[in-house]
């Protein structure tokens, strides 16, 4: 099945949750807002100084100002000034009554208890007005927005410590294979560290999606069936390994016996052809290839866009060299951009089990099935690797 057709088939089988939950903002990064967020506090919440300096009345600038007091951020009292008086003021401190301008410390001449204004002083310099950034009642963030780092900061600035967000699907992750052991174990020569599960979890985290690691499934039909029987509380299961047609690959048999229907049995993409997907009662199971690059790519191109719209950062570039690919399928070409030109890593030659190849790449080009060649200087659209 072609990549776009596979994604459409998945979206027809799986619907994102519509209910919501309240989370502390420390756990809300990457989550989707369930409601508009309306300002409950003016920002700034009082007139204050934008810098360290002296608070003065602009119209008195032709004569020296006498320093009569100091104002610090956090002071509750609001000071005041008379004619040709000024207050030494710190960033964030309340503007004194009668003052309308701040002179930077480095821009004025201090002579004892007096200062002289610079010639280039402008009325209103350094004055931050109450509500000039945000006013009470203003919509700050809209329902459906993904909370990013800046949004979290704004919530905190409004005194909002808990926020209503849409519930995420629950995602469980398995790896499969007798040859796989965990990174914290000691590997003999014939054992392979479990790279896929942790790469998959990191990819999901890159779009704010939580997941649970469920362990390694051994190559045994009963073990495979039991593993999936233990996942009734999950909306999506991602398993890497057991996707090909080898004698010891029991995934298809086990899922069929458990009542799952096959959505697709392979993808027309390189790497990642053996990728499979199954559905039962609105729950999905992905059986990804065991080769790390293929597992990474299939997860990125199928699961991420299923969970989040506009999950990719894209960039236009010019192809730096002629690239030949096989038509009839999508081809992943990994590489980097220098001075606006895309250069394939290692000339575009790789094996689907390679990790270093994607480690050394910042972008991937996904060709369309009708392409057999991408010419030098062709304009291309790239996906930035998470």
């Amino acid at each position: 099945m072609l990549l776009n057709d596979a994604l459409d088939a998945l979206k027809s089988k799986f619907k994102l949750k519509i209910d919501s939950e309240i989370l502390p903002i420390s756990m809300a990064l990457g989550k989707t807002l369930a409601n508009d967020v309306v300002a409950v506090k003016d920002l700034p919440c009082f007139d204050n100084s934008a810098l360290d300096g002296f608070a003065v009345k602009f119209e008195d600038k032709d004569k020296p100002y006498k320093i009569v007091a100091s104002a610090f951020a956090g002071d509750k009292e609001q000071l005041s000034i008379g004619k040709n008086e000024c207050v030494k003021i710190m960033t964030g401190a309340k503007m004194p009554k009668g003052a309308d301008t701040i002179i930077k410390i480095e821009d004025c001449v201090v002579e004892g208890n007096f200062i002289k204004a610079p010639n280039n002083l402008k009325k209103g310099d350094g004055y931050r007005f109450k509500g000039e950034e945000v006013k009470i009642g203003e919509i700050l963030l809209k329902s459906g927005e993904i909370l990013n780092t800046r949004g979290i900061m704004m919530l905190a600035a409004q005194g909002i410590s808990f926020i209503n967000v849409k519930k995420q699907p629950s995602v469980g992750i398995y790896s499969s294979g007798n040859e796989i052991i965990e990174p914290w174990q000691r590997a003999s020569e014939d054992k392979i560290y479990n790279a896929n599960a942790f790469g998959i979890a990191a990819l999901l985290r890159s779009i704010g999606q939580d997941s649970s690691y469920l362990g390694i499934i051994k190559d045994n039909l009963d073990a495979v069936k039991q593993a999936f029987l233990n996942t009734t509380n999950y909306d999506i299961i991602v398993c890497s390994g057991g996707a090909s047609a080898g004698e010891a690959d029991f995934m298809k048999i086990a899922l069929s016996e458990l009542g799952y229907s096959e959505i697709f049995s392979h993808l027309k993409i390189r790497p990642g052809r053996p990728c499979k997907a199954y559905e039962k009662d609105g729950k999905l199971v992905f059986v990804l290839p065991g080769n790390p690059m293929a597992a990474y790519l299939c997860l990125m191109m199928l699961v991420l866009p299923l969970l989040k719209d506009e999950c990719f950062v894209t960039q236009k570039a010019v192809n730096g060299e002629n690239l030949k690919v096989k038509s009839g399928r999508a081809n992943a070409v990994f590489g980097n951009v220098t001075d606006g030109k895309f250069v394939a890593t290692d000339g575009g030659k790789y094996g689907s089990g390679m990790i270093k190849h994607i480690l050394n790449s910042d972008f991937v080009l996904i060709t369309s099935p009708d392409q057999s060649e991408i010419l030098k200087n062709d304009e291309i659209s790239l996906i930035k690797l998470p």
Side-chain angles (χ1 to χ4, degrees):
M1 185 178 284
L2 292 173
L3 182 62
N4 288 341
D5 293 338
L7 188 54
D8 288 341
L10 290 167
K11 288 181 176 180
S12 72
K13 299 287 186 181
F14 181 77
K15 303 300 179 186
L16 291 173
K17 293 176 180 291
I18 59 173
D19 47 347
S20 62
E21 60 183 341
I22 305 294
L23 291 180
I25 60 173
S26 61
M27 296 174 60
L29 181 65
K31 303 297 190 292
T32 301
L33 287 170
N35 305 106
D36 291 346
V37 176
V38 177
V40 295
K41 186 178 180 68
D42 289 325
L43 291 180
C45 50
F46 51 83
D47 293 355
N48 69 87
S49 175
L51 44 88
D52 293 345
F54 294 90
V56 302
K57 189 170 185 177
F58 179 78
E59 67 180 31
D60 297 340
K61 65 183 178 62
D62 294 331
K63 293 183 180 180
Y65 296 98
K66 183 179 180 181
I67 305 169
V68 295
S70 295
F72 297 89
D75 288 349
K76 292 184 178 180
E77 180 185 1
Q78 184 181 16
L79 303 176
S80 61
I81 59 172
K83 186 171 179 59
N84 282 102
E85 291 182 336
C86 69
V87 168
K88 188 174 184 180
I89 193 166
M90 304 299 124
T91 302
K94 290 181 179 179
M95 284 293 291
K97 294 177 182 177
D100 58 16
T101 304
I102 303 292
I103 305 174
K104 293 180 182 178
I105 287 178
E106 59 268 29
D107 287 349
C108 61
V109 177
V110 181
E111 296 179 351
N113 288 330
F114 290 85
I115 65 166
K116 292 181 179 179
N119 294 330
N120 62 350
L121 184 66
K122 295 180 181 179
K123 186 174 182 179
D125 281 354
Y127 194 131
R128 286 196 296 217
F129 292 88
K130 176 181 178 179
E132 71 173 32
E133 180 185 359
V134 171
K135 288 182 171 57
I136 292 175
E138 179 183 342
I139 294 178
L140 300 176
L141 298 165
K142 293 185 177 181
S143 176
E145 282 189 49
I146 304 296
L147 263 178
N148 56 26
T149 54
R150 290 97 67 198
I152 297 292
M153 182 175 282
M154 178 56 79
L155 292 176
Q158 287 289 306
I160 299 171
S161 57
F162 287 82
I163 192 69
N164 192 23
V165 297
K166 294 181 180 178
K167 277 189 176 180
Q168 290 186 330
S170 52
V171 180
I173 300 171
Y174 278 122
S175 286
S176 172
N178 292 337
E179 76 282 12
I180 303 297
I181 67 167
E182 305 293 12
W184 53 85
Q185 297 176 309
R186 189 175 183 86
S188 61
E189 288 296 321
D190 57 351
K191 295 292 183 181
I192 300 171
Y193 285 121
N194 180 13
N196 290 2
F198 299 92
I200 288 167
L203 269 172
L204 292 169
R205 172 49 47 192
S206 75
I207 63 164
Q209 174 66 51
D210 297 327
S211 62
S212 299
Y213 176 54
L214 305 177
I216 297 171
I217 306 174
K218 295 302 181 182
D219 287 330
N220 175 282
L221 181 57
D222 289 338
V224 173
K225 288 180 70 173
Q226 188 59 53
F228 288 110
L229 284 170
N230 294 339
T231 61
T232 53
N233 293 330
Y234 291 93
D235 301 304
I236 296 176
I237 295 296
V238 180
C239 180
S240 65
S244 61
E247 184 179 345
D249 294 328
F250 300 109
M251 295 294 170
K252 183 173 184 176
I253 300 170
L255 290 166
S256 177
E257 290 183 4
L258 292 173
Y260 283 83
S261 299
E262 188 176 82
I263 300 173
F264 55 83
S265 61
H266 67 277
L267 289 178
K268 291 182 179 180
I269 188 171
R270 177 183 181 267
R273 187 182 187 281
C275 183
K276 308 179 192 302
Y278 299 83
E279 182 268 341
K280 179 183 178 181
D281 300 329
K283 299 178 183 292
L284 296 182
V285 172
F286 291 89
V287 182
L288 307 183
N291 281 322
M293 183 191 292
Y296 183 98
L297 183 70
C298 290
L299 191 287
M300 191 176 94
M301 299 307 299
L302 290 174
V303 183
L304 298 195
L306 183 66
L307 296 174
K308 178 184 175 183
D309 293 332
E310 299 179 4
C311 61
F312 298 132
V313 176
T314 59
Q315 179 173 319
K316 296 290 186 182
V318 173
N319 189 34
E321 56 191 335
N322 291 335
L323 294 170
K324 290 188 178 296
V325 294
K326 185 176 179 179
S327 61
R329 69 185 184 193
N331 295 273
V333 183
F334 298 90
N336 296 286
V337 175
T338 304
D339 297 328
K341 290 189 175 182
F342 175 73
V343 178
T345 302
D346 300 328
K349 297 178 181 179
Y350 58 80
S352 61
M354 292 181 173
I355 299 175
K356 187 177 180 181
H357 189 85
I358 53 175
L359 177 66
N360 291 338
S361 304
D362 290 328
F363 295 90
V364 62
L365 167 65
I366 305 296
T367 67
S368 63
D370 60 352
Q371 287 181 297
S372 59
E373 186 176 22
I374 304 96
L375 298 178
K376 183 178 181 179
N377 295 326
D378 279 354
E379 185 178 69
I380 54 177
S381 182
L382 305 170
I383 298 173
K384 186 167 179 58
L385 297 177

